[in-house]
Amino acid sequence: MGYSFVAKTVSIVTGIVVLLAGVYFVAPSVPGLNGLGGLTGIANPGAAGPLAPGGPAGAAALQAKDHPPPGIGENPGPLGQPAPLTVTSKSYSFLQKHEDGSPVTYDPCRAIHYVTRPDNSPAAGPELIQEAITAVSHATGLTFVNDGDTTEAPSADRLSYQKDRYGDRWAPVLIAWETHAEQPKFTNPARGETVTGLGGSQAVSFGNTGFTYVSGQVELNSPALQRMSAEAGTDQVRAVIEHELGHVVGLDHVNDPTQIMNPSETPGVVSFGAGDLTGLSLLGQGKCQPTL
């Protein structure tokens, strides 16, 4: 059975507090894919301490260097609504929470843009990503916009604001198919484990705004997932992508093999369960953040 651990990482940049969240996913049912799910870069907002002072001068400095102009793409209200729940469940968990216990979310009043680095992608890769995006969008009510392909490679230090590459806005979520050489964390030889995916988002808070996710990335283990596709079918691969996108929008692991957010893949569980859907619905009901 897989397990997870927490490593807190908090960065403070001139008045903007940055929190990273990311989670691995393993598939022990596939021969040779055994092991754990490890949590990296998650921090509870309460651990960040008081925010650095904001104010006009701080805002201007951030806008020029670390932060796009506020409200880019913001609409007056949510762009969509979570799908109605026919059954609810408490079998879900959030990666990050505000002090009042509510989850850190993306802004439902602006679209989540995403790009795909197509290198190492299997033939069915684009279709599987689109299907997984559609499932998450339907469950959360969040709107996703495909900005096409990119040459950007994933990085543990990926910046959420890359004006030269993506323009004066928050960087889109990056989805990439990688090899073990690119991402050594896909393999843990000491334990004989293979991680099939890694996903998470970056949350920021400026001034007295609540923490809000603004960008993220998904790293997919291309060789392992291509083997999974051959041995267990593409539905199981799509479930891995949905799992990682679940982390991107804010879901944590839950120890329940009937849910996609279980830290280890369960054969035959290829769509979100009642707990997954309940959590995703709540993650789609965040606050609009026009000042970010």
Side-chain angles (χ1 to χ4, degrees):
M1 178 177 293
Y3 64 91
S4 61
F5 62 92
V6 176
K8 294 184 178 180
T9 303
V10 179
S11 301
I12 302 179
V13 186
T14 319
I16 188 167
V17 177
V18 181
L19 302 177
L20 305 177
V23 183
Y24 298 104
F25 184 50
V26 297
S29 67
V30 178
L33 304 183
N34 300 307
L36 63 87
L39 190 65
T40 66
I42 173 175
N44 187 307
L51 302 181
L62 285 172
Q63 185 167 311
K65 286 187 174 183
D66 308 303
H67 193 286
I72 296 294
E74 186 79 6
N75 285 270
L79 298 176
Q81 296 294 327
L85 296 171
T86 56
V87 179
T88 61
S89 167
K90 295 182 179 179
S91 196
Y92 63 86
S93 183
F94 300 124
L95 280 171
Q96 297 173 311
K97 295 180 182 180
H98 299 287
E99 291 184 354
D100 65 2
S102 63
V104 175
T105 70
Y106 273 89
D107 179 349
C109 301
R110 71 181 82 187
I112 301 172
H113 291 254
Y114 69 97
V115 291
T116 303
R117 193 193 70 166
D119 307 39
N120 311 306
S121 173
E127 180 181 359
L128 293 173
I129 289 173
Q130 183 57 57
E131 290 174 352
I133 289 283
T134 298
V136 173
S137 178
H138 181 71
T140 60
L142 298 171
T143 295
F144 288 78
V145 175
N146 185 357
D147 287 349
D149 291 346
T150 183
T151 59
E152 183 191 3
S155 169
D157 301 317
R158 183 176 188 253
L159 299 176
S160 59
Y161 178 51
Q162 302 181 47
K163 183 177 179 180
D164 290 344
R165 184 185 291 271
Y166 296 115
D168 215 1
R169 57 168 177 155
W170 293 111
V173 171
L174 171 64
I175 303 174
W177 301 87
E178 290 185 288
T179 64
H180 290 241
E182 291 180 285
Q183 178 50 276
K185 291 180 180 178
F186 283 158
T187 303
N188 185 343
R191 294 177 178 269
E193 299 161 348
T194 297
V195 174
T196 57
L198 169 64
S201 283
Q202 188 176 60
V204 303
S205 176
F206 179 58
N208 59 358
T209 65
F211 285 96
T212 303
Y213 292 129
V214 294
S215 187
Q217 65 182 357
V218 170
E219 299 174 75
L220 300 170
N221 184 336
S222 182
L225 292 175
Q226 291 194 54
R227 190 170 78 181
M228 177 186 285
S229 177
E231 297 178 356
T234 56
D235 286 350
Q236 207 75 58
V237 176
R238 187 187 63 245
V240 173
I241 302 173
E242 290 182 7
H243 177 108
E244 300 310 333
L245 288 171
H247 289 317
V248 166
V249 298
L251 283 181
D252 198 355
H253 286 150
V254 60
N255 291 318
D256 181 347
T258 68
Q259 308 301 312
I260 274 187
M261 298 312 297
N262 191 59
S264 297
E265 175 262 354
T266 304
V269 176
V270 295
S271 59
F272 288 122
D276 299 322
L277 292 172
T278 302
L280 289 169
S281 177
L282 293 170
L283 288 166
Q285 300 175 51
K287 296 179 180 179
C288 297
Q289 296 287 0
T291 61
L292 285 180

